[in-house]
Amino acid sequence: MRNKSLLIGTLVLGLGALALLNLKPQDTADSGPKSPLVASEILTQPKSLTLKANGKSTTVEKAADGTWVVKEKFNLPVDVENRLRPLVIALQKAENLGVLTSNPKRLEKLGLTDSSLSMTGENGKVFAAEIGKPTDDGAGLSMRLQGETSAIRTSFNGYLEADPTNWMDSVLFNGKPEDIKAISFTWADGQQSFARPEKGKPFGGKEGPTVEDIVNALAIMRASDAAAKGDKEAAAAFAKFWTVKLELFDGATVTAVFAKGPASAPNEQPKLFTRVSHSDPKHVSNVMGAKAEFLSQPWLSEQLPASLAEFKRRVSPPAENPGQPGAPQLGNFQGLSLPGGNAPVLTPPPAK
């Protein structure tokens, strides 16, 4: 009896061990000790970073003056706060959790050739890896380090953005509506200027609400994309332009020149090219303007009147006539004059 109980117990333990083996992720091998994914000496003093994903590629580099620039976008400034810093922090936290698999069939399923990341430190050392799908245990993305044949498990979960446009710092001017003292427009068909009576007060006159809307739209000017200096499409667009000048309460002035180009596709807004300059020669808008032509966000095209006539229509829109032209207006019989003198006007009989 005792031997029978011992046999049953052994069988139960064996089945339990088998169940644990079946629950273990199939692409997870025994991992060794954890280690940083990227050496700290590279992360603390990076020099360049290259990302490839979704068929696009971006390289950002540290310029001689210490600023980061996007190589594929005419060396325009990098959006450090929203792109570079979050990626570096994610890499600093990431760990190498050991070998995942070296099986060629499993490696193929990980999609390791779809994305890659390469970072070079100022000391010349390089971290490079192909990046694949998340591991079954949810720890992070799978990777294959440069020169290795096996994939590793990592705790890296950073977002890989490889579109150069999304890496550039798109802000051409960043202000507050209440800091704008005056605004002046120069169109092909005329000019208009408006000023606040004092800081904290709205623009006056019947044009005030329209001017306030325009000032709110121009307080922060962002680019949606950039084109090369001398771009033919931009040059053709700027053959016809209009200018908006902002005067700030601190004495600075910002000048924005706008021009419309053809739409990229049917049923889309025309392209809106923008050149922004600042009275301070060292302002970032002047630095960026020397490198590229910029396109504004499409919605801004609807906010800005491209002519004095359009501006006046916005201030005083034409009255709507609910009736059809020439149609008699029922209920308005008093004072009706008929041909042949003041003949009496027949009124409808009272309803029964």
Side-chain angles (χ1 to χ4, degrees):
M1 188 68 178
R2 181 178 179 184
N3 291 337
K4 185 177 180 180
S5 300
L6 182 61
L7 178 61
I8 293 174
T10 303
L11 181 60
V12 171
L13 290 174
L15 291 173
L18 181 61
L20 288 174
L21 288 174
N22 289 333
L23 289 173
K24 187 176 182 180
Q26 293 183 356
D27 65 348
T28 303
D30 292 334
S31 60
K34 298 178 181 180
S35 61
L37 179 63
V38 185
S40 60
E41 54 190 321
I42 298 177
L43 285 171
T44 53
Q45 290 186 317
K47 183 179 180 181
S48 66
L49 172 70
T50 299
L51 278 169
K52 295 180 180 180
N54 302 318
K56 297 184 178 182
S57 177
T58 296
T59 298
V60 297
E61 300 175 331
K62 195 173 185 179
D65 60 358
T67 60
W68 283 86
V69 297
V70 187
K71 184 177 179 181
E72 291 82 356
K73 282 296 175 182
F74 321 109
N75 289 326
L76 291 168
V78 167
D79 187 348
V80 174
E81 292 301 319
N82 296 304
R83 291 296 176 194
L84 184 59
R85 192 184 303 279
L87 180 58
V88 170
I89 291 175
L91 289 171
Q92 288 174 338
K93 295 179 179 179
E95 293 180 318
N96 181 340
L97 303 178
V99 175
L100 175 63
T101 183
S102 57
N103 186 315
K105 292 184 178 180
R106 293 180 182 173
L107 289 171
E108 186 177 349
K109 293 180 180 179
L110 292 175
L112 293 164
T113 59
D114 297 338
S115 305
S116 65
L117 181 151
S118 176
M119 177 177 280
T120 303
E122 291 186 353
N123 57 4
K125 293 187 176 183
V126 178
F127 169 83
E130 295 173 316
I131 303 175
K133 298 177 181 178
T135 57
D136 286 351
D137 59 3
L141 297 177
S142 57
M143 290 190 186
R144 179 165 56 194
L145 301 178
Q146 188 176 54
E148 299 291 335
T149 57
S150 58
I152 61 171
R153 295 170 59 242
T154 77
S155 61
F156 174 75
N157 284 294
Y159 179 69
L160 299 178
E161 174 59 74
D163 188 339
T165 302
N166 293 332
W167 270 87
M168 73 177 190
D169 190 342
S170 62
V171 179
L172 301 173
F173 170 68
N174 190 359
K176 297 179 180 179
E178 58 268 26
D179 292 335
I180 298 175
K181 178 182 179 181
I183 182 171
S184 60
F185 303 89
T186 302
W187 296 289
D189 58 344
Q191 299 179 350
Q192 290 280 286
S193 297
F194 305 93
R196 299 185 190 275
E198 59 181 281
K199 191 169 185 180
K201 299 293 184 180
F203 290 92
K206 64 178 183 179
E207 302 92 348
T210 301
V211 174
E212 288 285 354
D213 289 341
I214 297 173
V215 166
N216 289 336
L218 294 178
I220 300 178
M221 286 183 260
R222 297 178 181 272
S224 62
D225 203 352
K229 295 293 288 185
D231 178 79
K232 292 182 179 179
E233 191 174 4
F238 278 111
K240 296 181 180 180
F241 64 89
W242 74 96
T243 304
V244 181
K245 186 175 181 180
L246 306 177
E247 181 182 345
L248 310 184
F249 277 101
D250 63 6
T253 57
V254 180
T255 303
V257 182
F258 297 98
K260 288 187 178 181
S264 300
N267 301 322
E268 287 190 1
Q269 286 284 345
K271 292 180 180 178
L272 182 64
F273 289 94
T274 307
R275 292 172 178 169
V276 179
S277 59
H278 196 280
S279 56
D280 180 1
K282 296 181 179 180
H283 194 272
V284 65
S285 62
N286 299 326
V287 176
M288 295 174 69
K291 294 181 177 182
E293 302 283 7
F294 294 97
L295 290 119
S296 287
Q297 296 171 328
W299 61 264
L300 187 59
S301 182
E302 298 180 354
Q303 302 293 320
L304 298 179
S307 66
L308 176 58
E310 184 181 345
F311 176 80
K312 289 182 177 179
R313 285 195 297 270
R314 293 192 183 189
V315 173
S316 302
E320 296 183 1
N321 184 5
Q324 296 295 328
Q329 302 296 311
L330 298 179
N332 187 22
F333 295 97
Q334 294 183 357
L336 180 63
S337 177
L338 298 178
N342 295 326
V345 177
L346 298 178
T347 58
K352 293 183 179 180

